[in-house]
Amino acid sequence: MATSDSHSFSARSMRTSRLFGIIGKLHLLFLAALVMFPELLLAQWNATIGAQSDDLGRQALAFLPNEIWIHVGESITWTMAANEGHTVTFLTSGQIRPPFTVECPGFSASFATFDGSTCATSGLLFQGDKFTVVFPGAGNFKLVCLVHSDMTGTIHVLDPSQSLPHDQAFYDREAQRESGDLLRVEVTGVTNHDHHLENTVIAGHGDTVATGGGSDSLSVMRFSDPEITVHAGDTLEWTTDDPTTAHTITFGPEPQDLEDPSSNVTVDADGARHGVLNSPSEAVHSGFIQPAPQDRTGLAQAPSGVTRFRVTFSKPGIYPYICSLHDVLGMKGSVVVLP
Ligand SMILES: [Cu+2]
């Protein structure tokens, strides 16, 4: 017993000393490489993605900051700071924007290289996730989130002969300032008291803010009147006031297909979707309620968005509902239907 123990101990210590020898040589090789190729000591920049209020209801949909100047060969690591999912995506010039579920060719887990020739994207990132992109060539590159169309930025990759205008401390301060400004944006109509119409709920509010690097937006992931009372036979209308973010009004279990309305939804003459519920156990799903995207000269115009969903309640009861995209952020409500 004792013999085999001491034998395995000496074998282990020999292996350990050999391992240290190898590490020592690698260390020397690394130092030699730094002397010969000083560009290996390149700066590594940091930025954050998203910011949110403590109750998760206010989501800053933004790269913070959304404009960064770096040198060729350097990298930027983005860290997710919000529960709403985002992507870090660099499309090639003129590339058709793909849905975030499709990703672009070159999809990477936590690291990508982008020089403008092949698109690079992360998958859907959540709170705490990190994604690093290395930029081996000079250029001015547009940064986008494939989930949120008003969430863009610019990375200026300069030749080492050019001086950089800012340091990391500046970007850290800028990220703080921009996220604070976004989360404090005053959004009108957040409470239903601002609305003169009866039986209406605002399903999401938002605002878009521009910077020199691109655009940021704020979305309030809440229903304006989360507990509303109506009478049997009444029709309640949900309207979105968010310029970009989609929401749903979903009674019953969350469907597989979130984008399209459930088969029991009809379309009113004015284009609004409409469902009828005869008991709290029935299900109806609005599909995405979202305004039309901004149009661009020279391209086919986008169709009008579907921004309203109506539900007629024929029987009394308590009808809970969610936004199936943002229920995890607390976007839920209920309708109390009195006789
Ligand atoms: Cu929502």
Side-chain angles (χ1 to χ4, degrees):
M1 217 42 171
T3 331
S4 90
D5 262 8
S6 62
H7 170 78
S8 70
F9 175 77
S10 66
R12 221 182 300 142
S13 65
M14 253 165 69
R15 272 201 304 274
T16 312
S17 68
R18 217 178 295 147
L19 186 63
F20 275 123
I22 293 167
I23 291 172
K25 278 177 200 141
L26 284 176
H27 190 77
L28 281 175
L29 268 175
F30 179 67
L31 287 178
L34 280 184
V35 172
M36 286 190 293
F37 308 102
E39 62 270 26
L40 287 175
L41 268 180
L42 291 168
Q44 148 79 64
W45 301 84
N46 291 294
T48 51
I49 314 169
Q52 62 195 6
S53 59
D54 290 342
D55 70 353
L56 314 183
R58 284 183 162 247
Q59 291 286 327
L61 312 174
F63 296 104
L64 298 162
N66 73 351
E67 190 172 26
I68 301 176
W69 286 258
I70 66 171
H71 278 141
V72 167
E74 294 179 344
S75 64
I76 304 176
T77 296
W78 281 271
T79 303
M80 275 287 295
N83 290 50
E84 169 78 348
H86 300 290
T87 72
V88 170
T89 305
F90 292 89
L91 300 177
T92 56
S93 176
Q95 179 177 352
I96 304 280
R97 182 183 165 93
F100 75 89
T101 45
V102 173
E103 316 293 359
C104 67
F107 162 70
S108 328
S110 62
F111 176 88
T113 296
F114 185 74
D115 65 3
S117 62
T118 312
C119 76
T121 186
S122 69
L124 201 51
L125 301 173
F126 289 103
Q127 175 87 296
D129 288 349
K130 287 177 187 292
F131 192 73
T132 299
V133 181
V134 180
F135 298 88
N140 299 297
F141 303 119
K142 184 178 182 181
L143 164 63
V144 303
C145 166
L146 292 180
V147 186
H148 303 102
S149 55
D150 277 341
M151 179 168 165
T152 66
T154 306
I155 307 303
H156 306 282
V157 184
L158 309 183
D159 186 84
S161 63
Q162 306 276 313
S163 63
L164 299 180
H166 306 295
D167 60 7
Q168 182 65 51
F170 170 86
Y171 293 124
D172 293 345
R173 282 196 305 275
E174 201 53 16
Q176 282 287 329
R177 190 187 62 76
E178 285 177 21
S179 67
D181 285 357
L182 276 169
L183 292 176
R184 278 192 297 271
V185 163
E186 283 291 331
V187 195
T188 53
V190 171
T191 67
N192 212 30
H193 306 296
D194 303 339
H195 278 262
H196 56 279
L197 290 170
E198 287 287 315
N199 291 357
T200 61
V201 176
I202 303 303
H205 318 260
D207 210 346
T208 304
V209 177
T211 75
S215 57
D216 299 335
S217 58
L218 170 82
S219 277
V220 181
M221 311 290 195
R222 288 293 183 267
F223 294 107
S224 64
D225 209 338
E227 280 179 22
I228 192 164
T229 302
V230 297
H231 289 273
D234 281 355
T235 297
L236 191 54
E237 181 180 275
W238 283 262
T239 309
T240 179
D241 273 0
D242 195 300
T244 52
T245 302
H247 299 286
T248 78
I249 295 93
T250 307
F251 290 86
E254 206 164 301
Q256 281 286 345
D257 174 9
L258 297 182
E259 189 163 356
D260 297 311
S262 52
S263 57
N264 55 348
V265 169
T266 56
V267 178
D268 287 347
D270 63 359
R273 291 180 187 155
H274 199 148
V276 176
L277 287 176
N278 296 305
S279 105
S281 64
E282 287 185 3
V284 70
H285 171 68
S286 66
F288 283 5
I289 298 295
Q290 189 172 25
Q294 262 184 18
D295 285 320
R296 285 160 58 196
T297 302
L299 292 181
Q301 73 167 351
S304 292
V306 176
T307 54
R308 294 179 201 279
F309 183 57
R310 298 180 185 129
V311 176
T312 303
F313 298 88
S314 62
K315 299 267 164 38
I318 297 172
Y319 296 75
Y321 67 94
I322 59 168
C323 165
S324 57
L325 293 169
H326 306 115
D327 51 329
V328 289
L329 304 175
M331 192 164 180
K332 298 170 180 190
S334 71
V335 182
V336 178
V337 181
L338 301 175

